Coordinates of all heavy atoms in Angstrom, one line a residue:
M869 N 10.2 6.6 -31.6 CA 9.7 6.5 -30.3 C 8.9 7.8 -30.0 O 9.5 8.9 -30.2 CB 10.8 6.3 -29.3 CG 10.3 6.0 -27.9 SD 11.6 5.7 -26.7 CE 12.4 4.3 -27.3
N870 N 7.7 7.7 -29.5 CA 7.0 9.0 -29.3 C 7.3 9.5 -27.9 O 8.0 8.9 -27.1 CB 5.5 8.7 -29.5 CG 4.9 7.7 -28.6 OD1 5.5 7.3 -27.6 ND2 3.7 7.2 -28.9
A871 N 6.7 10.7 -27.6 CA 7.0 11.4 -26.4 C 6.4 10.6 -25.1 O 7.1 10.7 -24.1 CB 6.4 12.8 -26.4
I872 N 5.3 10.0 -25.3 CA 4.8 9.2 -24.1 C 5.6 8.1 -23.7 O 5.9 7.9 -22.5 CB 3.3 8.8 -24.4 CG1 2.5 10.0 -24.5 CG2 2.8 7.9 -23.3 CD1 1.0 9.8 -24.7
K873 N 6.2 7.4 -24.7 CA 7.1 6.2 -24.4 C 8.4 6.8 -23.7 O 8.9 6.2 -22.8 CB 7.4 5.4 -25.6 CG 6.3 4.5 -26.0 CD 6.8 3.6 -27.2 CE 5.8 2.7 -27.6 NZ 6.3 1.8 -28.7
T874 N 8.9 7.9 -24.3 CA 10.1 8.5 -23.7 C 9.9 8.9 -22.3 O 10.7 8.7 -21.4 CB 10.5 9.6 -24.6 OG1 10.7 9.2 -25.9 CG2 11.8 10.2 -24.1
L875 N 8.8 9.5 -22.0 CA 8.4 10.0 -20.6 C 8.3 8.8 -19.7 O 8.7 8.8 -18.5 CB 7.2 10.8 -20.6 CG 6.7 11.3 -19.3 CD1 7.7 12.3 -18.7 CD2 5.3 12.0 -19.4
G876 N 7.6 7.7 -20.2 CA 7.5 6.5 -19.4 C 8.9 5.9 -19.0 O 9.1 5.5 -17.9
I877 N 9.8 5.8 -20.0 CA 11.1 5.2 -19.7 C 11.8 6.1 -18.7 O 12.5 5.7 -17.8 CB 11.9 5.1 -21.0 CG1 11.3 4.0 -21.9 CG2 13.4 4.8 -20.8 CD1 11.8 3.8 -23.2
L878 N 11.7 7.5 -18.9 CA 12.4 8.4 -18.0 C 11.9 8.3 -16.6 O 12.6 8.2 -15.6 CB 12.2 9.8 -18.5 CG 12.9 10.9 -17.7 CD1 14.4 10.8 -17.9 CD2 12.5 12.3 -18.2
L879 N 10.5 8.1 -16.4 CA 10.0 7.9 -15.1 C 10.4 6.6 -14.5 O 10.6 6.5 -13.3 CB 8.4 8.0 -15.2 CG 7.8 9.3 -15.2 CD1 6.3 9.2 -15.4 CD2 8.1 10.1 -13.9
I880 N 10.5 5.6 -15.3 CA 11.0 4.3 -14.7 C 12.4 4.4 -14.2 O 12.7 3.9 -13.1 CB 10.8 3.2 -15.8 CG1 9.4 2.9 -16.1 CG2 11.6 1.9 -15.4 CD1 9.2 2.0 -17.3
V881 N 13.3 5.0 -15.0 CA 14.7 5.1 -14.6 C 14.8 6.0 -13.4 O 15.5 5.6 -12.4 CB 15.5 5.7 -15.8 CG1 16.9 6.0 -15.3 CG2 15.6 4.6 -16.9
L882 N 14.2 7.2 -13.3 CA 14.3 8.1 -12.2 C 13.6 7.5 -11.0 O 14.1 7.7 -9.9 CB 13.7 9.4 -12.6 CG 14.4 10.3 -13.6 CD1 13.7 11.6 -13.9 CD2 15.8 10.6 -13.1
G883 N 12.5 6.8 -11.1 CA 11.8 6.2 -10.0 C 12.7 5.1 -9.4 O 12.7 5.0 -8.2
A884 N 13.3 4.3 -10.2 CA 14.2 3.2 -9.7 C 15.4 3.8 -9.0 O 15.8 3.3 -7.9 CB 14.6 2.3 -10.9
L885 N 16.0 4.9 -9.5 CA 17.1 5.5 -8.8 C 16.7 6.2 -7.5 O 17.4 6.1 -6.5 CB 17.7 6.6 -9.7 CG 18.5 6.1 -10.9 CD1 19.0 7.2 -11.8 CD2 19.8 5.4 -10.4
G886 N 15.5 6.8 -7.5 CA 15.0 7.4 -6.3 C 14.7 6.3 -5.2 O 14.9 6.6 -4.0
A887 N 14.1 5.2 -5.6 CA 13.8 4.2 -4.7 C 15.1 3.5 -4.2 O 15.1 3.1 -3.0 CB 12.9 3.1 -5.3
S888 N 16.1 3.3 -5.0 CA 17.3 2.7 -4.5 C 18.2 3.6 -3.7 O 18.8 3.1 -2.7 CB 18.1 2.1 -5.7 OG 18.5 3.1 -6.5
Y889 N 18.4 4.8 -4.1 CA 19.3 5.7 -3.3 C 18.6 6.5 -2.2 O 19.2 6.9 -1.3 CB 20.0 6.7 -4.3 CG 21.0 6.1 -5.2 CD1 20.8 6.0 -6.5 CD2 22.2 5.6 -4.6 CE1 21.8 5.4 -7.3 CE2 23.2 5.0 -5.4 CZ 22.9 4.9 -6.8 OH 23.9 4.3 -7.5
G890 N 17.3 6.7 -2.3 CA 16.6 7.4 -1.3 C 16.7 8.9 -1.3 O 16.3 9.6 -0.4
G891 N 17.4 9.5 -2.3 CA 17.5 10.9 -2.3 C 18.9 11.3 -3.0 O 19.6 10.5 -3.5
F892 N 19.1 12.6 -2.9 CA 20.3 13.1 -3.5 C 20.8 14.3 -2.7 O 20.0 14.9 -1.9 CB 20.2 13.5 -5.0 CG 19.2 14.5 -5.2 CD1 19.6 15.9 -5.3 CD2 17.8 14.2 -5.4 CE1 18.6 16.9 -5.5 CE2 16.9 15.2 -5.7 CZ 17.3 16.5 -5.7
S893 N 22.1 14.7 -2.8 CA 22.6 15.8 -2.0 C 23.3 16.8 -3.0 O 23.7 16.4 -4.1 CB 23.6 15.4 -1.0 OG 24.7 14.7 -1.6
Y894 N 23.3 18.0 -2.6 CA 23.9 19.1 -3.4 C 24.6 20.1 -2.5 O 24.3 20.2 -1.3 CB 22.9 19.7 -4.3 CG 21.8 20.5 -3.6 CD1 21.9 21.8 -3.4 CD2 20.6 19.8 -3.2 CE1 20.9 22.5 -2.8 CE2 19.6 20.5 -2.6 CZ 19.8 21.9 -2.4 OH 18.8 22.5 -1.7
T895 N 25.5 20.9 -3.1 CA 26.2 21.8 -2.3 C 25.7 23.2 -2.7 O 25.6 23.6 -3.8 CB 27.8 21.8 -2.6 OG1 28.2 20.4 -2.4 CG2 28.5 22.7 -1.8
K896 N 25.4 24.0 -1.6 CA 24.9 25.4 -1.8 C 25.9 26.3 -1.2 O 26.4 26.2 -0.1 CB 23.6 25.5 -1.0 CG 22.9 26.8 -1.2 CD 21.6 26.8 -0.4 CE 21.0 28.2 -0.4 NZ 19.8 28.2 0.5
Q897 N 26.3 27.3 -2.0 CA 27.3 28.3 -1.6 C 26.6 29.6 -1.4 O 26.0 30.2 -2.3 CB 28.4 28.4 -2.5 CG 29.6 29.1 -2.0 CD 30.8 28.9 -3.0 OE1 30.6 28.8 -4.2 NE2 32.0 28.9 -2.4
T898 N 26.7 30.2 -0.2 CA 26.0 31.5 0.0 C 27.1 32.5 0.6 O 28.1 32.1 1.1 CB 24.9 31.4 1.1 OG1 25.5 30.8 2.3 CG2 23.8 30.5 0.6
E899 N 26.8 33.8 0.4 CA 27.7 34.8 0.9 C 27.2 35.3 2.2 O 26.1 35.8 2.3 CB 27.7 36.0 -0.1 CG 28.8 37.0 0.2 CD 28.9 38.1 -0.9 OE1 29.0 37.7 -2.1 OE2 28.8 39.3 -0.5
A900 N 28.0 35.0 3.2 CA 27.6 35.4 4.6 C 27.8 36.8 4.9 O 27.0 37.5 5.6 CB 28.3 34.5 5.6
A901 N 29.0 37.3 4.5 CA 29.3 38.8 4.9 C 30.2 39.3 3.8 O 31.0 38.6 3.2 CB 30.0 38.9 6.2

Side-chain angles (χ1 to χ4, degrees):
M869 188 179 301
N870 61 12
I872 293 185
K873 282 186 179 182
T874 305
L875 181 63
I877 292 171
L878 184 67
L879 278 174
I880 291 170
V881 170
L882 291 177
L885 287 173
S888 63
Y889 287 112
F892 61 93
S893 61
Y894 63 95
T895 304
K896 180 181 176 184
Q897 193 170 33
T898 58
E899 187 173 311

